[in-house]
Amino acid sequence: MIQTMSGKEDKKRKHRKIRGKDIHEEVITTHINADFDALASMIAAKKLYPDATLVFPGSQEKSLRNFFLHSTSYLFNFTKIKQIDLDRIEKLILVDTRQKSRIGKLAELLDKKDVEIHVYDHHPGSEDDIKGVKEVIQEIGSTTAILTKIIRERGLPVSPDEATIMSLGIHEDTGSFTFSSTSPEDLMEAAWLSEQGANQNMISDMLTRELTAEQVWLLNDLTRSATTRVINGVEVVIAKIIREDYVGDFAVLVHKFMDMENLNVLFALAQMGDKVYLVARSRLEDVNVAEVALAFGGGGHPQAASATIRNKTLIQVERSLQALLRSRINPQKKARDMMSSPAIRISPEEDIKEAATIMTKYNINVLVVIDQEDNLQGYITRQIMEKAVYFGLGNIPVKEYMDINFSTVSPDASLHEVQDLIIKNKLRILPVMEGNRVIGVITRTDLLHILVGGPVIPDFLYDSHHVSHFTKKKNIASMLKERLPIKIIKLLKDFGSTADMLGYNAYLMGGLVRDVFLKQKNLDVDIVIEGNGISFAHEFAEHHEVRVRSHRKFGTAILIFPDGFKVDVATARMEYYETPAAPPIVETSSLRMDLLRRDFTINTLAIKLNKSDYGTLIDHFGGQKDIKEKVIRVLHNLSFVEDPTRVLRAIRFEQRFGFRIGKLTLALIKNAVNINCFKNLSGRRLFTELKLLLMEQQPIKAIERMNEFDLLQFISPKIKLTKSLSNLLDEIRGVTSWFDLLYLEDPYETWKVYWYGLTSSLDARAMKKLAENMQMEDQENRRMLSQRADVNNVLDKLYRLKGDNNFGIYTLLSQYDTEILLYMMAKTNNEKIKRLISNYITKLKGTQVKLKGRDLKEMGFQPGLIYKKIFDSILEARLNNLVRTKEDESSFVKETFERHL
């Protein structure tokens, strides 16, 4: 069968030669440093693509080279990569990999639109993944098993030789079915290959060949160099050797060493020639060696992985490895790490209806019952509560229906203990006790989150259910260093040190984390503390030159530095809303609950600052994914009902970042408008959010988006985005751009100009009502309203001005702010008026008299009302270009006011 495949089928294959290169329309390949699973997968893929050419992208494991040299029974027509004309390839079949960085020169094909890519792989996904038009991906023990199943289901024949190679691939990648990644599919397909005549003796020989003398010495050196380190509570063995020349089967030696010493986690480094080889093995879920290998440009599985590192010494690689392990190894979790704290509770004397209110308020399904002496009495579930209410028992005390059979654990209980108690005893909730006091609770959902690798992201956050729902954790300390100023980096590390002193957890949160990923400038530092935020702020101030302003009601503080720089510090908290659109009620909570109160997934990213975990990114709700896909999504379906201002925020972020609003979030916005969630919203909060929206670089697009959602009615029913208003807004954009290009030292607020434009159609009565609704009561807002009322009168006076009366222009316009002047320029269609306002802004504004009161006194003028008259006359003369210098002013005064001397 093998001869047929490499002979007769090859003759049928359409190919010819151009400049000494074979022309192949279909190519099957795998990863560099191919192992037996890669080889077997290529042979299996050849059964599915009989016209394809087999090509290794680079070097293979030494065992594979020996296999080609000494196993004369196997004659395969592999083509060398240098004989492949990449321009003629129409289809690329990838097996046992989908990483761009691991297919060598063939990666050049990925940029060609006319190349069709098929992928067969069993490795976990990575950021480097290649996308194919056809993808068959299963996270099982081997890729060979995936392809064997397809061959079996299609009824394709397999010769004993082919069955032996394919079975060898399954054996190698599953550790002969001992690795935890082994699946029933691997066993099933291996059994079928055995039925097809796979030679088990040959497989055994290939996997357990006698070691050479050189390999024995290598194994001895690995054993002697091995050191054990405890990293985040996990024992890790690191072994290293140096050889001048390459020694084959290094991976086999590492596996043998692991079995000999019965190790759980092993990282072996070998410097051979000018390269360092990393081979890693793990039997623990807490240590994913594939992540570590990936960081070095390699790959593999959570249990077995490898990498080839160039241009680095063994010492450099070892140092990098240790740093990676500190960030990549998840510490052994204890009950205190898993619990939700503080525990939401109810008194046994409270009635069932109150239990229902608390469960709804905090969106929980079980509630611990604790008496006034802080003694745990039991718990009550939503199911029992709902039935009691249904039967009219809402006024009955909770103690009558609570469950009094419960178990508890200490804060230091291990994950294994927690898992045993909850699963074996089918517990709904497991209180965590410190002495006789409940300090937190672990629910079945909490345990599920831990076991699957983090909180499960609700399906409703996604438009498609074909997504990964598990939390993402990675270390981005290097990204922070690259994208934030040194001053901020030092500050973040200082915050982490202070948190360590107090036994708190400190996190960087908010827009700064989001903008680090977006490469946007943002220096608004928000710190969240699992502990007491105010105590943290005062402790930090003890050791640094800062002032603290705190707000005990909200558990927040502001750190004010000598240069005016400010940092917001908050205690991790939860929020609930007593009525739609009402201000939130705030209570102390954990990081998880704090993140849950955020507006959009892109704002739920947190970075831990404590020294041991510095730079660890926590992404409970898929924020990274949504940033990458440029999507705005809410965290739950009632988000806009709770806080309608989030609608304006969604538009603001959409326009600022060029994102799109997700399908479900879009539907929820329309629903919020239809049911008029804005009716109970404070006008002040609406005005604040509207101001922020108008401060954006492109407010017109945001206003147009508001119009699409019919949101302008909530500012005023009389505001419509007519063609006239659109033209006015375009004029404002032009006028503000013109003013910006003047580079005058005259600060102004763009949002005010757009605010004047947006409300331009409102008459005095409608504007008064709007001002009342939005509580525009402070001095700044009253000034805005007053100046807006004068607009038509000022424009009329400018129209009637005769000649170039600079003093008249100055006298009329100097009492008005820059923002209202720019609005008037945009509003008027009269070129003369535009020119007069422009002349005032560019030439007349800021004109000052050079002479002072003491100068007049020295000339002999007695202080009094005459001084004002003199200064007004000088100003008029200066504006009308009659005087230019201080000397001119003195001469002018002496001439004009001589009789007053």
Side-chain angles (χ1 to χ4, degrees):
M1 181 65 186
I2 298 169
Q3 267 188 321
T4 304
M5 187 171 66
S6 61
K8 291 180 182 178
E9 286 185 8
D10 253 10
K11 290 174 184 175
K12 292 179 184 177
R13 187 189 307 146
K14 295 176 183 177
H15 88 275
R16 54 198 174 84
K17 292 201 173 196
I18 292 181
R19 294 178 186 172
K21 290 192 176 183
D22 287 337
I23 306 309
H24 306 275
E25 294 178 349
E26 296 181 0
V27 165
I28 297 171
T29 194
T30 185
H31 54 81
I32 292 171
N33 292 331
D35 52 15
F36 280 126
D37 187 33
L39 168 66
S41 297
M42 291 175 73
I43 300 301
K46 179 76 171 176
K47 305 292 293 181
L48 305 177
Y49 301 87
D51 291 335
T53 303
L54 297 170
V55 180
F56 280 119
S59 60
Q60 294 78 48
E61 282 280 10
K62 186 71 174 178
S63 55
L64 273 182
R65 291 179 189 155
N66 292 336
F67 174 72
F68 279 110
L69 290 170
H70 303 300
S71 300
T72 54
S73 305
Y74 303 97
L75 301 174
F76 299 101
N77 187 16
F78 278 80
T79 302
K80 292 182 179 180
I81 186 71
K82 63 184 179 182
Q83 289 297 316
I84 298 296
D85 187 342
L86 299 186
D87 292 334
R88 311 292 292 193
I89 294 175
E90 296 178 358
K91 185 182 293 182
L92 179 66
I93 300 103
L94 296 174
V95 296
D96 202 38
T97 189
R98 50 193 155 128
Q99 284 181 246
K100 180 179 179 181
S101 59
R102 301 195 76 200
I103 62 171
K105 184 181 178 183
L106 292 170
E108 295 174 21
L109 295 173
L110 303 179
D111 297 325
K112 298 180 182 293
K113 294 181 180 179
D114 55 346
V115 176
E116 189 177 310
I117 297 173
H118 293 195
V119 179
Y120 298 85
D121 192 21
H122 76 124
H123 293 92
S126 73
E127 293 179 1
D128 192 28
D129 281 353
I130 298 163
K131 301 297 180 186
V133 294
K134 179 173 183 178
E135 292 185 347
V136 182
I137 297 164
Q138 283 180 269
E139 289 193 23
I140 62 175
S142 64
T143 301
T144 307
I146 295 172
L147 290 155
T148 303
K149 181 181 179 183
I150 299 171
I151 291 169
R152 177 172 56 80
E153 289 175 345
R154 292 190 186 178
L156 299 174
V158 174
S159 73
D161 291 340
E162 291 168 334
T164 301
I165 298 172
M166 290 159 67
S167 187
L168 180 60
I170 296 175
H171 270 271
E172 187 192 51
D173 253 30
T174 61
S176 291
F177 313 111
T178 62
F179 292 167
S180 60
S181 58
T182 305
S183 69
E185 286 92 338
D186 295 294
L187 293 162
M188 188 183 304
E189 302 313 325
W192 183 77
L193 290 169
S194 184
E195 291 173 3
Q196 308 310 305
N199 188 328
Q200 302 300 327
N201 290 330
M202 186 172 288
I203 293 168
S204 176
D205 287 344
M206 292 297 297
L207 293 173
T208 58
R209 289 189 309 281
E210 254 184 48
L211 299 179
T212 65
E214 178 64 27
Q215 289 171 337
V216 171
W217 281 111
L218 200 65
L219 185 57
N220 180 59
D221 287 353
L222 276 175
T223 308
R224 293 178 63 183
S225 71
T227 56
T228 301
R229 291 177 172 80
V230 178
I231 299 176
N232 292 342
V234 178
E235 275 195 5
V236 175
V237 174
I238 298 176
K240 53 188 184 291
I241 56 102
I242 298 176
R243 287 293 184 275
E244 288 298 321
D245 301 310
Y246 183 85
V247 179
D249 291 325
F250 183 57
V252 174
L253 297 176
V254 172
H255 192 77
K256 192 175 286 289
F257 175 40
M258 192 165 184
D259 286 342
M260 284 166 48
E261 300 295 329
N262 193 26
L263 305 175
N264 283 325
V265 182
L266 172 63
F267 288 88
L269 298 170
Q271 184 169 324
M272 299 181 187
D274 59 349
K275 297 174 187 171
V276 176
Y277 298 86
L278 165 69
V279 174
R281 298 289 185 266
S282 170
R283 293 188 175 117
L284 302 180
E285 289 185 3
D286 289 328
V287 185
N288 183 336
V289 295
E291 287 187 356
V292 178
L294 187 64
F296 285 107
H301 322 284
Q303 298 80 22
S306 64
T308 302
I309 304 128
R310 295 172 176 80
N311 303 319
K312 281 193 176 182
T313 65
L314 186 66
I315 294 171
Q316 287 175 315
V317 173
E318 184 182 10
R319 191 179 297 141
S320 299
L321 174 63
Q322 290 183 27
L324 271 168
L325 293 178
R326 282 192 290 273
S327 64
R328 292 294 201 279
I329 291 181
N330 296 318
Q332 299 283 353
K333 289 182 171 59
K334 298 184 182 298
R336 70 171 76 250
D337 304 315
M338 296 178 270
M339 70 184 185
S340 297
S341 175
I344 300 171
R345 52 161 60 177
I346 192 169
S347 162
E349 309 303 328
E350 296 280 359
D351 60 29
I352 295 290
K353 284 193 294 187
E354 179 60 20
T357 300
I358 294 173
M359 287 184 187
T360 302
K361 184 188 293 181
Y362 296 109
N363 193 27
I364 56 176
N365 296 313
V366 62
L367 198 56
V368 286
V369 182
I370 299 175
D371 64 22
Q372 291 182 341
E373 281 75 42
D374 258 5
N375 296 315
L376 177 64
Q377 299 295 319
Y379 66 89
I380 186 166
T381 65
R382 182 180 289 275
Q383 186 180 20
I384 296 297
M385 174 271 294
E386 286 176 345
K387 283 187 178 179
V389 171
Y390 177 76
F391 289 122
L393 304 174
N395 295 319
I396 303 296
V398 165
K399 64 183 179 182
E400 302 296 334
Y401 295 108
M402 69 183 180
D403 195 323
I404 57 173
N405 296 312
F406 55 84
S407 301
T408 64
V409 290
S410 73
D412 294 319
S414 67
L415 171 61
H416 180 71
E417 291 176 68
V418 171
Q419 186 175 338
D420 262 9
L421 281 169
I422 290 180
I423 293 176
K424 288 182 180 177
N425 300 332
K426 299 181 179 177
L427 301 179
R428 293 289 188 92
I429 195 167
L430 182 62
V432 181
M433 307 282 289
E434 197 164 58
N436 294 322
R437 189 169 61 91
V438 177
I439 62 169
V441 293
I442 302 171
T443 64
R444 286 194 301 204
T445 304
D446 292 331
L447 179 61
L448 174 63
H449 293 168
I450 298 298
L451 294 179
V452 300
V456 177
I457 301 170
D459 284 343
F460 62 71
L461 291 182
Y462 295 96
D463 298 333
S464 164
H465 296 301
H466 303 292
V467 291
S468 169
H469 286 174
F470 304 132
T471 193
K472 302 283 185 187
K473 279 191 180 184
K474 64 179 181 182
N475 193 286
I476 62 165
S478 57
M479 187 189 293
L480 293 178
K481 187 176 179 180
E482 177 190 332
R483 298 180 185 176
L484 292 178
I486 295 173
K487 172 188 170 183
I488 300 295
I489 294 295
K490 184 181 183 308
L491 201 55
L492 298 181
K493 290 182 177 179
D494 288 347
F495 289 146
S497 298
T498 303
D500 287 336
M501 286 170 56
L502 295 171
Y504 295 163
N505 288 325
Y507 302 91
L508 177 65
M509 306 272 280
L512 177 55
V513 183
R514 174 200 67 221
D515 290 346
V516 163
F517 281 92
L518 290 171
K519 298 181 181 179
Q520 300 261 340
K521 187 176 179 181
N522 185 344
L523 298 180
D524 293 334
V525 179
D526 292 308
I527 304 297
V528 169
I529 301 296
E530 280 187 320
N532 187 313
I534 295 176
S535 298
F536 170 88
H538 284 288
E539 180 66 29
F540 184 85
E542 285 285 320
H543 305 279
H544 300 81
E545 194 180 344
V546 294
R547 289 186 296 115
V548 178
R549 197 164 67 222
S550 58
H551 307 276
R552 298 204 172 273
K553 179 181 176 182
F554 298 106
T556 61
I558 299 174
L559 297 172
I560 305 169
F561 290 77
D563 61 358
F565 184 72
K566 295 178 182 178
V567 172
D568 291 324
V569 177
T571 305
R573 58 198 192 269
M574 67 170 73
E575 294 177 349
Y576 62 86
Y577 296 76
E578 292 190 325
T579 59
I585 307 299
V586 177
E587 292 185 8
T588 302
S589 184
S590 61
L591 174 72
R592 187 185 306 161
M593 298 301 288
D594 191 282
L595 290 171
L596 194 57
R597 70 185 181 83
R598 306 279 162 165
D599 48 11
F600 307 112
T601 57
I602 61 170
N603 293 328
T604 60
L605 299 175
I607 298 173
K608 198 165 184 183
L609 302 179
N610 298 69
K611 189 173 181 180
S612 61
D613 300 306
Y614 176 79
T616 298
L617 176 74
I618 298 165
D619 180 7
H620 285 301
F621 300 103
Q624 289 178 85
K625 178 180 183 295
D626 286 343
I627 288 173
K628 187 176 180 181
E629 295 183 357
K630 299 188 173 184
V631 184
I632 306 289
R633 303 185 206 273
V634 289
L635 273 72
H636 60 87
N637 291 18
L638 294 175
S639 183
F640 296 128
V641 175
E642 288 181 346
D643 185 359
T645 63
R646 288 174 178 165
V647 174
L648 297 184
R649 231 171 294 157
I651 293 171
R652 179 154 56 94
F653 291 140
E654 179 191 45
Q655 299 306 317
R656 180 194 297 177
F657 302 127
F659 283 18
R660 62 181 173 83
I661 297 175
K663 264 191 233 173
L664 177 61
T665 304
L666 211 54
L668 294 173
I669 289 176
K670 292 173 182 175
N671 171 263
V673 174
N674 290 338
I675 64 175
N676 195 6
C677 287
F678 292 81
K679 64 183 175 186
N680 296 321
L681 180 65
S682 148
R684 189 188 300 276
R685 288 181 63 206
L686 177 60
F687 181 56
T688 300
E689 202 61 50
L690 188 59
K691 262 172 68 173
L692 292 171
L693 186 144
L694 295 176
M695 286 178 184
E696 292 294 318
Q697 283 192 341
Q698 298 188 43
I700 297 177
K701 288 186 177 179
I703 293 169
E704 289 169 348
R705 197 70 160 130
M706 286 180 68
N707 184 59
E708 286 177 36
F709 292 128
D710 200 17
L711 292 168
L712 297 177
Q713 60 170 311
F714 300 115
I715 304 172
S716 170
K718 293 191 175 184
I719 295 179
K720 310 286 183 188
L721 190 59
T722 60
K723 187 174 181 181
S724 172
L725 178 54
S726 292
N727 291 339
L728 175 58
L729 293 173
D730 281 336
E731 284 291 327
I732 289 173
R733 176 167 51 195
V735 166
T736 53
S737 297
W738 164 80
F739 184 81
D740 291 338
L741 291 172
L742 294 175
Y743 296 105
L744 300 175
E745 292 183 5
D746 183 11
Y748 78 111
E749 296 179 87
T750 317
W751 76 267
K752 291 182 180 179
V753 191
Y754 282 101
W755 170 255
Y756 291 133
L758 189 60
T759 59
S760 59
S761 61
L762 303 186
D763 57 23
R765 186 174 178 182
M767 196 63 203
K768 183 181 178 184
K769 183 173 175 56
L770 181 147
E772 289 171 357
N773 290 343
M774 295 201 166
Q775 299 171 313
M776 298 175 69
E777 298 159 348
D778 60 36
Q779 186 176 348
E780 180 186 18
N781 288 328
R782 287 202 304 270
R783 180 176 175 84
M784 283 177 64
L785 294 170
S786 170
Q787 293 196 359
R788 182 192 178 280
D790 290 347
V791 166
N792 290 334
N793 185 38
V794 173
L795 290 175
D796 185 58
K797 287 182 178 179
L798 285 171
Y799 179 74
R800 295 173 185 278
L801 269 178
K802 302 295 184 184
D804 291 329
N805 184 352
N806 288 347
F807 184 67
I809 298 170
Y810 184 92
T811 305
L812 179 60
L813 299 183
S814 59
Q815 58 189 305
Y816 294 102
D817 297 332
T818 300
E819 293 86 357
I820 199 73
L821 296 176
L822 294 175
Y823 167 63
M824 286 191 278
M825 273 188 81
K827 181 178 172 64
T828 184
N829 292 321
N830 186 284
E831 289 303 319
K832 173 191 171 183
I833 296 176
K834 285 183 185 289
R835 180 172 53 77
L836 292 176
I837 299 174
S838 170
N839 185 44
Y840 169 75
I841 290 173
T842 57
K843 296 177 181 177
L844 307 182
K845 190 177 182 185
T847 300
Q848 291 182 334
V849 173
K850 302 284 185 185
L851 290 178
K852 306 295 180 188
R854 63 176 177 273
D855 296 318
L856 297 183
K857 193 171 183 180
E858 286 174 5
M859 289 183 193
F861 291 99
Q862 294 300 315
L865 293 176
I866 188 64
Y867 275 33
K868 182 179 185 308
K869 189 174 180 182
I870 292 173
F871 284 134
D872 285 347
S873 296
I874 298 171
L875 179 61
E876 182 176 1
R878 181 170 280 281
L879 288 167
N880 289 329
N881 296 316
L882 298 177
V883 298
R884 296 181 181 278
T885 65
K886 187 174 181 180
E887 289 71 22
D888 291 344
E889 289 182 0
S890 296
S891 300
F892 173 80
V893 171
K894 289 172 183 176
E895 280 181 30
T896 310
F897 296 93
E898 186 180 2
R899 58 193 175 87
H900 293 280
L901 287 171

